[in-house]
Every structure is written in C-alpha cells, then in structure tokens.
Amino acid sequence: MSPVSPLVQRLVRPEIQALHAYHVPDSRGFIKLDAMENPYPLPQGLRDEIATLVSAAPINLYPDPSPAALKRKIAELLSLPEGMEVLLGNGSDELIQLLALAVNQPGATLLAVEPSFVMYRMIATFIGMRYVGVPLRDDFSLDLSATLEAIRREQPALVFLAYPNNPTGNLFSADEVHQIIVASPGLVVVDEAYYAFASDSFVPHLARYPNLLVMRTFSKLGMAGLRLGFLAGSSDWLQQLDKLRLPYNVGVLPQLVAGKLLEHHEVLLAQAAQIKFDRVKLFDRLSRIAGVQVYASEANFLLFRIENATAVFNGLKQRGILIKNLNGGHPMLTDCLRVTVGAPDENDRFIAALQEIVA
Ligand code: PMP
C-alpha cells in the first residue's frame, strides 16, 4: 500500500483510515465457491428472451425511480400480508446502509450477534454509528439471555439478525427471534438473504410486529450480478427510508432482467432445490473426512472447522478452488472455512482436493 498523503490523513476520518477495504479476491480461473453465488446458467430460451429485452431497453433514459410492476411482482411472490410493501435496494448492502442512516441519531446503537454478516458492523463504522456485538454460543445458536440483556442495557435503535446466519449457516430458533423482536425498543431487521435454501421465514409475521422488517436479496438465487435486494414491511417505515434512497438506485437493466426472471421464478427455485439437495450430500462427504467438523446449514454454503485452516485454504487455492478463509476474522471462527455449495462437479473437485490435502 502506498503511504497516505498528509492531506488525505488530515481530512479522512480516522476510523475510515483504520478500515481494511472489503476484500474481494481475484477469482479468474478458479472454481469459485467463495461468495454463495448460484452456479447454474439460465436455460437458453430464457437467455434469448433477456437478450431481446435488453436490446430494446431505453438505456439512454434514467430508470423508473420506483418500479411499481416489479414491486408488485415481488409482493405477490412473497404473499406479503395485507398493507405491507417493498422497497428496492442496489443489493441488500445498500438497504443496510439506508436503515442505519435513518436511525442514527446521536447516541443511537446498532446491535448484531457475532459472528454474523460483517457489513452490519462495517456500515455502522462508515456512518459513525455506535455498534454492539453480542457473541453467539459456541454452537453458533443465539445466546438468548445475553442478547436480551444487551438489548435491555443498550436500547439499540436497530438490530440485525441474519436468518439463516452468515457465515455460520444455521437458522436461529424462531421462538428466540420472536422474543428478541418483542423485547426490542427499536427496529429489528430479519435478514433473509438465504431464504431460498431455508425452512422458515418471518414474512408471515410482518403484520404482527410494528418494529419488524424483513430484508431479502436475489443475489443467492442466481442474480448476484444484477444487485437487487428489498425490504418488506409497513409503509410507515418504508416511506421514511425511501427519502434516503439515492434516486435511480436500481438501473434499467437490473429492473428489466429481474422482472423477466421473476416471471420464471420456478426456474430459479428448481436450481435452489438442486443446491439444497447437493448441500446434504456435501455435508455428508465433508463430515466423513477425518479432522473436519461441519456445521448444520440452512443456506447455500457450509461452515467447517479443520486444523491449519489457512494452509488448507491455500492448498485448495493451489488446486484451483477458491473458498472463504474465516480464520483470524473472529475469535469464534478460528480454523473455520466456508464453502459455497456449487454444481455437482465443482463439489466433487472440492472434496477430492480436500482429501488430497489432508491425506
Ligand atoms: N445479508 C447477508 C446475511 C449476506 O450474507 C449478504 C451477502 N453476502 C448480504 C446481506 C448482501 O447481499 P447483496 O448486497 O448481494 O444483496
């Protein structure tokens, strides 16, 4: 890294200077199992339809700032309870930022459990918001009494719970999440990024709690490249958040392509079903490798612990397979690696390489 000039050093907030940029490794040429992407291409017929749509797209014009038809389609697919609406984001990362910006009054706190999605903490830092992390139990389940106690003590304006959690993959106890929502004086956002692979959702409970919003993304369902996420909840909340949204946050092409893909939602759901099926197989094969401890997952990835994880990670990389090294990121993730469930041949290559490394 080049030394920081005195001008930059004087003007940029110290907490930003202390940050490391969110690291995205160069994945060219690798079997890419690091970022929970859907490995499957779309059927040719659908690709052709998209090509026709895109060729006629009015990219000389700004996008529809609030695409009603796309939002209606999402609400319909979700069976959103009466009176609930959706707000679209440029990925759900953008929505995390909007939420934090909206409630960041002086002294306001953002609370999340740990380890969880790193963006909750990072965005709090970006905007100068106080952050409190509550450790999960050793098995990565919620520590309910510690979480309720932290909520009582800290009175957080905003709580994020990833359901299923990333990077651990497990689905927290629904009953405990309900208790957290009830006990929270502030807004609770249940982040369902991995909903397509999970057995439960808080969408049906939206009307029951005035302090609940559900956030989802289409990234894991085969649209990571489009950058489209959404918040579902009452218009009371969404109208306020909408004021903070930068105009035209979702481009013409993502709107068009996502609209078309959601007309063919069953194609994406069938891919997700295949991934869930392969997750069970991968879990089984991983857990049979000596020295590997795999954690139960309701997402499209598996977290596992293995001695000398960083050496294993590098060994996989040398063999052309890129996964995520979590060793050193959080004390509870020592010697942990995370692998996305890929296509069957990718999973085979990963297992074969891992077996070779530990042999
Ligand atoms: N929430 C969770 C729990 C995630 O794991 C991710 C992606 N890794 C996101 C949100 C962000 O997804 P995106 O910005 O692609 O919508």
Side-chain angles (χ1 to χ4, degrees):
M1 228 195 297
S2 54
V4 182
S5 80
L7 181 65
V8 172
Q9 213 167 35
R10 179 163 58 81
L11 291 176
V12 174
R13 286 159 43 208
E15 62 271 31
I16 304 301
Q17 292 189 47
L19 278 177
H20 296 286
Y22 189 84
H23 175 62
V24 181
D26 186 357
S27 59
R28 277 171 299 181
F30 283 94
I31 292 184
K32 193 170 181 319
L33 300 175
D34 65 326
M36 287 78 98
E37 289 140 322
N38 171 342
Y40 297 108
L42 293 169
Q44 192 57 49
L46 191 46
R47 294 164 81 102
D48 293 342
E49 275 187 65
I50 289 171
T52 309
L53 269 180
V54 167
S55 75
I59 54 170
N60 54 318
L61 303 180
Y62 282 113
D64 182 342
S66 183
L70 181 56
K71 289 190 192 179
R72 251 198 322 275
K73 182 76 194 158
I74 292 171
E76 190 187 300
L77 288 175
L78 239 66
S79 307
L80 257 196
E82 195 58 33
M84 298 292 138
E85 294 181 7
V86 298
L87 176 75
L88 302 181
N90 192 285
S92 43
D93 286 341
E94 184 190 35
L95 297 168
I96 300 170
Q97 190 170 47
L98 284 188
L99 287 157
L101 281 170
V103 300
N104 189 23
Q105 304 189 51
T109 297
L110 187 158
L111 183 143
V113 293
E114 288 189 351
S116 189
F117 186 38
V118 290
M119 272 297 154
Y120 308 144
R121 170 183 228 141
M122 285 184 77
I123 285 174
T125 307
F126 295 168
I127 69 163
M129 185 170 185
R130 192 165 165 268
Y131 171 86
V132 171
V134 183
L136 294 169
R137 292 185 187 281
D138 285 345
D139 64 356
F140 301 128
S141 63
L142 286 171
D143 187 337
L144 185 64
S145 55
T147 309
L148 293 178
E149 170 53 25
I151 288 170
R152 197 195 54 72
R153 192 178 63 237
E154 307 288 348
Q155 298 286 299
L158 182 56
V159 175
F160 280 103
L161 289 173
Y163 187 81
N165 192 33
N166 173 20
T168 58
N170 56 316
L171 196 66
F172 297 136
S173 145
D175 176 58
E176 293 182 354
V177 175
H178 280 282
Q179 291 190 52
I180 289 171
I181 298 167
V182 170
S184 291
L187 175 61
V188 178
V189 177
V190 175
D191 179 351
E192 296 186 353
Y194 301 95
Y195 72 96
F197 314 98
S199 60
D200 192 37
S201 165
F202 271 72
V203 168
H205 308 303
L206 276 171
R208 192 159 138 202
Y209 300 116
N211 64 332
L212 170 67
L213 293 176
V214 172
M215 187 170 71
R216 286 188 176 181
T217 174
F218 290 123
S219 294
K220 323 296 171 182
L221 194 65
M223 299 185 226
L226 294 183
R227 309 301 298 131
L228 188 65
F230 64 90
L231 273 169
S234 76
S235 59
D236 246 21
W237 281 112
L238 300 191
Q239 274 171 16
Q240 299 301 326
L241 295 166
D242 199 36
K243 297 179 196 170
L244 279 169
R245 187 174 60 84
L246 296 178
Y248 315 123
N249 62 331
V250 182
V252 170
L253 299 182
Q255 286 187 23
L256 260 183
V257 179
K260 175 51 68 187
L261 287 180
L262 293 180
E263 279 175 27
H264 297 273
H265 198 219
E266 74 291 345
V267 173
L268 302 172
L269 290 183
Q271 293 178 342
Q274 177 71 45
I275 291 166
K276 279 197 280 183
F277 180 78
D278 291 328
R279 175 181 74 202
V280 176
K281 289 212 296 206
L282 190 61
F283 180 97
D284 190 47
R285 292 167 81 188
L286 255 180
S287 52
R288 272 190 271 136
I289 298 178
V292 171
Q293 183 191 3
V294 202
Y295 292 90
S297 167
E298 291 220 19
N300 61 342
F301 60 85
L302 294 171
L303 180 78
F304 64 100
R305 209 182 283 273
I306 186 166
E307 217 172 288
N308 299 322
T310 297
V312 172
F313 169 80
N314 287 329
L316 287 165
K317 230 173 137 180
Q318 278 159 14
R319 290 165 177 79
I321 295 157
L322 186 63
I323 65 168
K324 177 84 174 174
N325 185 5
L326 296 161
N327 187 36
H330 187 279
M332 288 173 76
L333 295 174
T334 299
D335 274 341
C336 280
L337 302 174
R338 186 192 67 196
V339 62
T340 306
V341 181
D345 60 315
E346 295 176 321
N347 301 336
D348 289 348
R349 292 268 308 270
F350 160 70
I351 290 288
L354 187 58
Q355 275 165 340
E356 202 178 286
I357 292 164
V358 299

